[in-house]
Amino acid sequence: MAKASKFPKPLYRAMFISDVHLGSKGCQAEALCEFLKHNTAGTLYLVGDIIDGWRLKKKWYWPQAHTNVIRRILTASKRGTDVRYIAGNHDEFLRGFLRFKVNFGEVKISNREIHIGEDGKRYLVVHGDMFDGLMRADRKWIMHLGDNAYNFLLWVNTKLNFVRRKLGLPYWSLSKSLKKRTKRAMNFIHSFEEQVASYCERKGFDGAICGHIHVAEMREINGITYMNDGDWVESCTALVEHHDGRWEILHTQPHGNFDAVDGRAENNLRDAEALLVAE
């Protein structure tokens, strides 16, 4: 799987990262840079929403830390890592170039990949937005509204964690907490996972690896292995395959130093919670 290289054997056979949202103020770029510095893989899958085109279209935001993430990825590619970039909904602008088979340096760009595990099982690797009913053309405005609500939650989260740091308390995710407590959000997550598994079952895949919903997970659904690598906005998680075929979700402590996220006062927490499922 990995390219022949003069560099040391990578730490993992494969690594999956998604929903980084470079170009947004909620991106945990510094935490990701630190993670990539100490974790290497034979194949690195960037499973969509690495660049947040939606945010950049509204307002340009690109600090040095975001450039450093790109540099880390390109450096990994030069050192023998097979890097594969799968387009998501926030970086859907890349999908317009797929028919031209355009690559970014050594980085291959596609709409989906098939990962063959150490045990020979076939895993479909997609961002996952195609399984989200809110991504239909006639309902996409709801997704954009939810994106604004989610950014408002991050703004609130910034203020809460500023106080928590002053009190010596660890980082706490407001969005994640609301998801766990909101029946509508949980129903959406379970429905999404089941749709992904059902599709893989019909198409003859042994499992699926995706992102999109910002909820890291590994579980069996009707004989299909469903795995989600989470996100790098709040959870800071990555999915890895060890050289012996074991799968694991790695957690990195967020820095908790979000910049102020654009949001208007008329957005309230009740609306944000109701739209969490549309992030």
Side-chain angles (χ1 to χ4, degrees), residues 219-279:
R219 70 187 186 103
E220 294 290 319
I221 305 175
N222 298 325
I224 299 297
T225 302
Y226 169 87
M227 294 184 282
N228 193 303
D229 57 28
D231 70 281
W232 284 84
V233 176
E234 293 187 87
S235 302
C236 293
T237 54
L239 174 70
V240 296
E241 181 188 21
H242 292 265
H243 290 285
D244 61 6
R246 290 182 297 114
W247 291 91
E248 182 181 6
I249 293 175
L250 303 180
H251 297 263
T252 298
Q253 178 66 27
H255 287 182
N257 58 343
F258 300 119
D259 293 316
V261 178
D262 291 334
R264 296 187 178 277
E266 59 264 29
N267 289 316
N268 58 59
L269 193 57
R270 178 178 55 79
D271 290 338
E273 178 177 347
L275 288 164
L276 259 175
V277 297
E279 75 180 54

Side-chain angles (χ1 to χ4, degrees), residues 39-224:
N39 295 273
T40 58
T43 302
L44 172 61
Y45 291 92
L46 305 172
V47 195
D49 286 4
I50 304 302
I51 299 173
D52 196 330
W54 291 9
R55 289 283 110 195
L56 290 174
K57 185 181 293 186
K58 293 178 181 179
K59 184 177 181 179
W60 183 260
Y61 177 79
W62 196 275
Q64 183 62 43
H66 293 209
T67 297
N68 293 342
V69 170
I70 299 296
R71 286 178 174 173
R72 285 281 182 196
I73 293 170
L74 293 178
T75 297
S77 178
K78 291 180 179 179
R79 293 180 175 177
T81 299
D82 183 6
V83 182
R84 306 191 179 193
Y85 191 133
I86 298 158
N89 53 299
H90 280 259
D91 45 21
E92 61 189 352
F93 61 89
L94 293 172
R95 288 172 173 162
F97 298 97
L98 294 180
R99 65 179 181 274
F100 302 113
K101 298 182 179 180
V102 175
N103 292 337
F104 185 61
E106 295 293 320
V107 179
K108 178 185 177 184
I109 302 174
S110 65
N111 210 32
R112 73 174 201 170
E113 292 284 343
I114 298 175
H115 175 74
I116 308 299
E118 177 65 23
D119 56 6
K121 291 184 177 180
R122 299 171 68 249
Y123 297 91
L124 173 67
V125 187
V126 291
H127 178 61
D129 56 299
M130 63 284 297
F131 298 105
D132 185 349
L134 292 175
M135 287 306 299
R136 282 172 22 197
D138 61 337
R139 302 181 69 186
K140 211 166 184 178
W141 64 273
I142 302 177
M143 180 66 75
H144 284 276
L145 186 60
D147 181 58
N148 289 331
Y150 183 60
N151 275 275
F152 172 69
L153 280 181
L154 292 182
W155 179 82
V156 174
N157 202 57
T158 302
K159 305 304 180 184
L160 288 175
N161 279 289
F162 175 79
V163 175
R164 288 178 66 85
R165 286 197 303 275
K166 292 295 184 181
L167 296 175
L169 298 173
Y171 175 85
W172 177 74
S173 171
L174 171 63
S175 175
K176 186 184 293 186
S177 178
L178 286 175
K179 283 180 180 178
K180 290 180 178 179
R181 289 170 170 78
T182 305
K183 183 177 180 180
R184 183 182 176 189
M186 294 305 298
N187 288 341
F188 169 81
I189 291 169
H190 291 154
S191 175
F192 174 87
E193 294 173 346
E194 289 168 2
Q195 287 187 60
V196 173
S198 177
Y199 177 84
C200 289
E201 185 177 14
R202 294 198 309 271
K203 297 299 182 179
F205 292 104
D206 298 297
I209 300 168
C210 59
H212 186 58
I213 60 174
H214 294 207
V215 180
E217 182 65 275
M218 290 174 56
R219 70 187 186 103
E220 294 290 319
I221 305 175
N222 298 325
I224 299 297

